Amino acid sequence: MASSTSEHRNPIVPVEFTKGANGLDKVILREVRGSSAEIYLYGGQVTSWKNEHREELLFISSKAIFKPPKAIRGGIPICFPQFAGHGSLEQHGFARNRFWSVDPDPPPFPTNPSNKAYIDLILKPSEEDLKIWPHSFVFRLRVTLGSGGDLMLTSRIRNTNTDGKPFSFTFAYHTYFSVSDISEVRVEGLETLDYLDNLQNKERFTEQGDAITFESEQVDKIYLSTPTKIAILDHERKRTIVIRKDGLPDAVVWNPWDKKAKAMADFGDDEYKHMLCVEATAIEKPITLKPGEEWKGRQELSAVPSSYCSGQLDPQIVLRGS
């Protein structure tokens, strides 16, 4: 009873508007059991996701530069309208280094009425954006912290061109996960799939039957036609992160390893040991929208205790589960 009384005295504020690094606007989402998420309006970027034990589940580099126009290194950058160098725009497009606004009139979402920890953001192109990518669009993003601490991102992109022209884009939730030790981590759900290796001129290969592990070198692969569920198993933390996705057929797995880490000014030399990007993406087949059409891409992240089976983590329980 004591805890409920204290909660009654100090009710959780589900949505708080505040200032973050360098005075940038930030939104904090909180859930009654203690989980939280933080979103910067710069980039529309989630920069923190903590479980009920206040443990950080996302990775942000200690050298991240929270200063426009530099993108924030870590969290969940949004790559739009271009992933990486797949086009003529700057690396990963421009959505991740634009200032988003709070959406004053968000579209209706099917939501749990008891869930109040969410924020709706909106991005429209500026005159400068239209010069480098001459297409009118409205990008709506909802970030929701579920009652169990799950983190959900839903993107809705609409073609608002008045000239009758369609446009095409590639997209990624470039999620950086915090891990105990990269050598103790494995990724399940991508076995036997074809992938494009970005380190070998996007040559196509087929993944072997085993889980993906990380031992001695940089990894940068685009897995194609992936399942809607992928699991990251962290042996040391006895934790599994489950990624569920809709509208995003591909998945990127990236770790820069030591040489690439040292070459990045906004990334610590040894931080590659404690992070892993597993990204829900649409890359191989760009999305095309005619005027008035809308695309939706969704990612849901959850963290669950790993179950052990004969001394090994058993991800199939997680992958088969709901």
Side-chain angles (χ1 to χ4, degrees), residues 11-67:
I12 294 288
V13 178
V15 184
E16 178 190 351
F17 294 88
T18 183
K19 297 288 184 182
N22 293 326
L24 294 171
D25 289 318
K26 181 172 78 169
V27 180
I28 302 175
L29 304 180
R30 293 187 183 90
E31 192 275 321
V32 290
R33 293 189 186 93
S35 58
S36 66
E38 297 184 5
I39 307 100
Y40 274 74
L41 295 194
Y42 178 61
Q45 186 160 332
V46 176
T47 55
S48 174
W49 170 42
K50 294 180 181 176
N51 63 16
E52 59 196 38
H53 306 296
R54 314 296 202 273
E55 296 165 330
E56 182 59 67
L57 302 169
L58 298 180
F59 167 85
I60 287 272
S61 173
S62 62
K63 293 189 173 183
I65 300 165
F66 288 80
K67 202 168 184 180

Side-chain angles (χ1 to χ4, degrees), residues 96-113:
R96 67 183 184 148
N97 47 23
R98 296 294 184 270
F99 284 95
W100 295 54
S101 304
V102 176
D103 192 347
D105 186 26
F109 272 81
T111 28
N112 182 336

Side-chain angles (χ1 to χ4, degrees), residues 158-161 289-294:
R158 181 177 291 274
N159 180 340
T160 55
N161 278 339
L289 295 177
K290 296 173 185 171
E293 287 185 337
E294 183 178 81

Side-chain angles (χ1 to χ4, degrees), residues 36-256:
S36 66
E38 297 184 5
I39 307 100
Y40 274 74
L41 295 194
Y42 178 61
Q45 186 160 332
V46 176
T47 55
S48 174
W49 170 42
K50 294 180 181 176
N51 63 16
E52 59 196 38
H53 306 296
R54 314 296 202 273
E55 296 165 330
E56 182 59 67
L57 302 169
L58 298 180
F59 167 85
I60 287 272
S61 173
S62 62
K63 293 189 173 183
I65 300 165
F66 288 80
K67 202 168 184 180
K70 183 69 180 173
I72 300 168
R73 174 72 68 185
I76 310 180
I78 289 174
C79 304
F80 170 85
Q82 175 184 300
F83 176 78
H86 292 249
S88 59
L89 297 174
E90 61 190 287
Q91 175 88 352
H92 289 323
F94 50 74
R96 67 183 184 148
N97 47 23
R98 296 294 184 270
F99 284 95
W100 295 54
S101 304
V102 176
D103 192 347
D105 186 26
F109 272 81
T111 28
N112 182 336
S114 67
N115 188 355
K116 304 199 168 37
Y118 63 85
I119 187 72
D120 289 290
L121 302 181
I122 189 168
L123 178 69
K124 296 178 181 178
S126 66
E127 291 299 318
E128 293 302 309
D129 295 334
L130 290 168
K131 288 177 185 173
I132 60 171
W133 199 66
H135 303 293
S136 184
F137 66 88
V138 176
F139 187 146
R140 285 186 159 96
L141 171 68
R142 172 170 284 200
V143 182
T144 304
L145 187 65
S147 58
D150 294 358
L151 183 68
M152 289 155 277
L153 286 82
T154 304
S155 292
R156 293 184 176 191
I157 297 169
R158 181 177 291 274
N159 180 340
T160 55
N161 278 339
T162 55
D163 58 7
K165 290 182 180 175
F167 64 66
S168 298
F169 62 91
T170 49
F171 180 93
Y173 291 118
H174 194 314
T175 310
Y176 288 74
F177 293 99
S178 171
V179 299
S180 57
D181 180 338
I182 189 64
S183 64
E184 294 291 321
V185 168
R186 51 194 277 171
V187 176
E188 298 277 351
L190 302 175
E191 304 83 9
T192 73
L193 297 182
D194 284 2
Y195 64 87
L196 308 178
D197 193 332
N198 284 323
L199 303 178
Q200 299 195 46
N201 295 315
K202 300 186 180 70
E203 193 175 338
R204 193 176 185 123
F205 298 93
T206 301
E207 189 60 67
Q208 301 307 305
D210 298 329
I212 299 165
T213 56
F214 307 89
E215 290 160 2
S216 61
E217 59 188 1
Q218 183 181 355
V219 175
D220 190 355
K221 298 175 179 178
I222 304 169
Y223 290 85
L224 310 173
S225 303
T226 60
T228 57
K229 196 183 296 186
I230 302 166
I232 304 169
L233 293 90
D234 191 328
H235 295 242
E236 201 168 297
R237 289 184 181 155
K238 297 183 174 62
R239 178 193 298 148
T240 297
I241 301 277
V242 183
I243 304 161
R244 294 176 178 85
K245 57 191 181 64
D246 296 303
L248 296 158
D250 306 321
V252 170
V253 176
W254 179 67
N255 182 288

